[in-house]
């Protein structure tokens, strides 16, 4: 009996006295047993595939030996992290990641512009058609998109080079060119993401009070003025939130894309963390498990800090209502 | 008098000019969007047309928008090769098991978190944490290997079966369902599982349809997890098969047919036919579910 009293107090503090204030936690858990049953598969999967691997992070502080296992391997402390910060390769990977993310940050306005344009389309059928078309690439795999790029740009089978040859020019091997690889990657990403990215802005635009536009029209404002003076200021909070969220992913690149576009000639431009990790541990079965884990852990930690930071900024600035 | 008339005519001219201007603007706008939409659609039409072209009339330099002579040879070769059948089997297994599992698991956990169950806030935090921090590729690989899932399709299915973002969106959707409906069912003697199945799920059609589409597409597009975890080449899914066909020069090996047969159809046509085969299901399903996902994504964007 004495055990039950504090629990009840805690329960009331949590503001959940709904289903009988006098029931113990155990009783309430029993009451919800079927609801727990629904949640258990998800919890088990999260534990098995999201939390269990975290044990593997210990490898970053060991000289991992697959035969000895994670618990039996030699403990080396921060050695791998020290190596990491003196590794020229590490700085190359960091640079490549930041360059690719930075370039994709430059294309940030593209979905906003698309949303503004789509919003001005008069015919609903036409708008539906455009939307159907521009959302499609989001659902295509990178294998498909890289294949399309291949058909467009490959030196023998690519459409662009066929036209170039027809016009009497030499074919250019875009896919193996250090100059072209970044533009290609950025264009691929824009092509894939522009439509999908515009949805959130279209929603924001749809939420603007139509009376504002009405008033502006009566005052003789042109369409352009309406866009610059009403639409853009009204969706600015959404834009800011999306920009901040995007900044939070600056240490990550779309790995499958980079992995598929990679080849021996552009390797120095596309070597990012995951590619290095994959090539030096899983792909080759080499003994660099520990070092690769350390690199991955560094990336994860930076990523997490950025996400927390950006979340903190958005909440602090009072934009939480937007998302 | 005359100045007024002049002013009036000027005004109407200006109005006419404005109208013409907006009309021209509208046309330019429609045209820009048409160009953009064309970049998304034309590649597939082009590839489809090439893939249906007969090898005998195909000249490598030509740009084809309508085949001079139709042929299904490339498709016949691909669909009959055991390479494709194996890959299709893998993908169908991954998608067929994975999609319902993903939706049930996420909806179940989302529903649980929408109820005031004891321990809810802790589980909520634990779910959110997976969004913030991941162990990374090598620990995930070691984990899969410890669980004995290497070279099993479940290594591609299970890690992707539960996602924090999906759970949170579903949770907030379930919370928006009025309590009265469930209370009424409870009074009528409905158990919690039946309430979930016959009241909550049917009311959440848009959300469920959206996430079914997402799960379906992401399992159909399984690529890198297969590269990592699947070791035998006969168990590789379609995306890996496609990547091999387009990026290797030796198509007959991948398709698994005799070299002489493969040589009857130009390489390019084979490759493009393979792209069409792999992309077709996604393109076919997608327009039907579009009306749902626009709604579902809004919910996610507003409340997630």
């Amino acid at each position: 009996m004495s055990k039950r009293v504090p629990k009840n107090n805690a329960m009331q503090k949590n503001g959940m006295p709904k289903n009988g204030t006098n029931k113990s936690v155990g009783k309430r858990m029993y009451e919800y047993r079927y609801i727990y049953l629904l949640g258990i598969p998800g919890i088990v999967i999260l534990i098995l595939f999201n939390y269990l691997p975290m044990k593997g992070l210990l490898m970053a502080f060991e000289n991992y030996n697959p035969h000895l296992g994670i618990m039996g391997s030699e403990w080396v402390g921060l050695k791998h992290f020290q190596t990491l910060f003196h590794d020229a390769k590490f700085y190359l990977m960091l640079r490549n990641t930041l360059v690719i993310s930075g370039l994709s940050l430059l294309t940030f306005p593209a979905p906003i512009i698309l949303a503004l344009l789509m919003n001005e389309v008069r015919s609903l059928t036409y708008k539906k058609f455009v939307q159907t078309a521009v959302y499609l690439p989001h659902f295509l795999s990178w294998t498909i998109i890289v294949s399309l790029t291949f058909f467009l740009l490959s030196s023998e089978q690519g459409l662009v080079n066929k036209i170039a040859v027809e016009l009497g020019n030499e074919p250019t091997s875009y896919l193996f060119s250090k100059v072209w690889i970044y533009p290609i990657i950025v264009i691929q990403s824009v092509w894939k993401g522009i439509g999908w990215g515009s949805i959130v802005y279209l929603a924001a635009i749809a939420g603007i009070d139509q009376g504002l536009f009405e008033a502006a029209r009566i005052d003789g404002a042109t369409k352009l003025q309406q866009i610059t003076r009403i639409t853009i200021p009204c969706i600015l909070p959404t834009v800011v939130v999306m920009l901040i969220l995007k900044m939070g992913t600056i240490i990550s690149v779309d790995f499958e894309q980079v992995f598929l576009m990679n080849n021996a000639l552009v390797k120095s431009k596309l070597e990012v963390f995951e590619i290095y990790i994959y090539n030096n541990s899983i792909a080759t079965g080499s003994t660099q498990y520990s070092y690769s884990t350390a690199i991955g852990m560094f990336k994860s930690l930076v990523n997490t800090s950025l996400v927390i930071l950006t979340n903190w900024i958005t909440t602090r600035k009072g934009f939480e209502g937007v998302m | 008098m005359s100045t007024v008339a002049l002013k009036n005519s000027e005004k109407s001219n200006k109005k006419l000019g404005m109208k013409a201007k907006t009309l021209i603007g509208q046309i330019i706008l429609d045209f820009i969007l048409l160009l953009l939409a064309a970049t998304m659609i034309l590649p597939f039409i082009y590839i489809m047309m090439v893939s249906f072209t007969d090898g005998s009339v195909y000249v490598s330099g030509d740009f084809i928008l309508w085949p001079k002579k139709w042929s299904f040879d490339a498709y016949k070769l691909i669909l009959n090769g055991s390479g494709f059948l194996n890959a299709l089997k893998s993908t169908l297994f991954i998608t067929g098991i994975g999609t319902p599992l993903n939706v049930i698991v996420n909806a179940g956990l989302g529903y649980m978190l929408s109820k005031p169950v004891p321990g809810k806030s802790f589980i909520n935090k634990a779910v959110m944490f997976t969004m913030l921090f991941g162990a990374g590729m090598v620990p995930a690989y070691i984990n899969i290997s410890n669980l004995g899932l290497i070279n099993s399709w479940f290594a591609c299915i299970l890690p992707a079966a539960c996602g924090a973002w999906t759970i949170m969106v579903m949770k907030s959707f379930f919370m928006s369902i009025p309590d009265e409906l469930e209370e009424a069912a409870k009074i009528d003697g409905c158990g919690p599982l039946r309430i979930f199945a016959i009241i909550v799920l049917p009311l959440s059609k848009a959300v469920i349809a959206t996430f079914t589409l997402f799960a379906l597409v992401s399992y159909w597009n399984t690529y890198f997890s297969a590269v990592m975890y699947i070791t035998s080449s006969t168990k590789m899914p379609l995306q890996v098969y496609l990547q091999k066909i387009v990026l290797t020069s030796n198509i007959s090996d991948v398709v698994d047919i005799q070299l002489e047969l493969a040589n009857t159809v130009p390489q390019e046509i084979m490759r493009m036919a393979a792209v069409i085969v792999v992309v077709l299901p996604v393109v076919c399903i997608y327009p039907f579910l579009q009306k749902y996902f626009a709604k579902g994504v809004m919910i996610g964007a507003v409340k997630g």
Side-chain angles (χ1 to χ4, degrees), chain B residues 2-230:
Chain B
S2 64
T3 46
V4 174
L6 206 70
K7 245 184 189 169
N8 269 346
S9 78
E10 229 172 38
K11 217 175 182 179
S12 71
N13 264 346
K14 215 175 163 188
K15 228 179 183 175
L16 253 172
M18 281 263 285
K19 256 190 185 157
K21 242 187 189 169
T22 40
L23 191 69
I24 291 168
Q26 202 70 41
I27 289 169
I28 292 173
L29 174 78
D30 287 358
F31 186 68
I32 292 173
L33 288 176
L34 186 69
L35 281 184
L36 188 72
T39 69
M40 319 266 166
I41 294 171
L42 272 186
F44 292 103
I45 296 178
Y46 169 65
I47 286 172
M48 190 132 84
M49 287 308 156
V50 174
S51 72
F52 281 120
T53 305
D54 194 273
S56 61
V57 293
Y58 180 73
V59 190
S60 180
D62 275 2
F63 179 77
I64 301 160
L65 268 181
W66 194 257
K68 282 180 202 134
K69 193 178 163 201
W70 291 76
S71 152
F72 298 94
D73 288 351
Y75 289 95
K76 272 185 209 148
L77 283 180
I78 284 176
L79 299 181
N80 284 327
S82 68
F84 173 75
L85 294 178
N86 285 331
L88 182 68
K89 211 166 70 191
S90 312
T91 296
L92 284 182
F93 186 90
I94 293 172
T95 314
I97 304 278
T99 308
L101 186 75
N102 177 300
V103 175
I104 292 168
V105 163
N106 283 319
L109 189 48
Y111 186 63
M112 183 186 125
L113 291 176
S114 75
K115 296 282 159 222
V117 295
K120 176 191 149 171
S121 78
F122 171 74
I123 298 167
N124 216 350
K125 280 187 191 118
V127 171
M128 292 297 273
F129 184 72
T130 64
M131 213 161 19
L132 279 180
F133 186 77
M137 197 188 285
V138 181
Y141 180 80
I142 302 276
N143 181 49
I144 292 282
S145 139
N146 286 342
L147 292 171
L149 289 175
I150 293 290
N151 204 22
S152 158
W153 286 320
F154 282 102
C156 301
I157 296 174
L158 293 175
C162 204
W165 184 74
T166 316
I167 293 169
M168 291 303 146
V169 174
M170 287 205 177
K171 175 190 131 186
S172 59
F173 187 84
F174 292 143
M175 282 172 89
S176 73
I177 294 175
D179 276 341
E180 289 77 15
L181 285 172
E182 292 178 49
E183 296 288 327
K186 207 186 263 171
I187 290 163
D188 288 346
C190 240
L193 292 181
R194 265 186 74 194
I195 291 180
F196 181 65
I198 66 172
I199 295 183
V200 176
L201 286 186
L203 282 173
S204 325
K205 247 190 243 151
V207 172
I208 299 287
T210 307
F211 285 109
T212 307
L213 173 75
F214 289 171
L216 195 78
V217 170
S218 86
Y219 281 120
W220 185 268
N221 289 344
T222 297
Y223 171 72
F224 191 69
S225 60
V227 172
M228 270 217 298
Y229 301 132
I230 307 267

Side-chain angles (χ1 to χ4, degrees), chain A residues 163-177:
Chain A
I163 293 169
V165 170
E166 201 86 340
L167 296 175
N169 296 325
E170 284 289 304
T172 320
S173 48
Y174 298 100
L175 298 174
F176 298 98
S177 147

Side-chain angles (χ1 to χ4, degrees), chain A residues 32 36 48 51 53 117 120-121 126 132 135 137 139 141 143 148 157 159 162 191 203 255 278 300 304 323, chain B residues 26 29-30 33-34 39-40 46-47 60 118 126 132-134 143 221 224 227 239 267-268 271 286 290 302:
Chain A
Y32 283 115
Y36 281 118
L48 280 182
Y51 282 98
L117 289 179
E120 297 304 325
V121 174
Y126 189 63
T132 308
Y135 296 162
F139 294 96
S141 65
T143 356
L148 295 181
Q157 303 189 347
L159 200 58
K162 280 182 192 172
W191 189 77
F255 169 63
Y278 177 71
S300 288
T304 309
M323 288 303 286
Chain B
Q26 202 70 41
L29 174 78
D30 287 358
L33 288 176
L34 186 69
T39 69
M40 319 266 166
Y46 169 65
I47 286 172
S60 180
L132 279 180
F133 186 77
N143 181 49
N221 289 344
F224 191 69
V227 172
Q239 303 292 337
Q267 217 182 35
E268 272 179 274
R271 286 180 168 161
Y286 149 83
Q290 203 203 343
V302 176

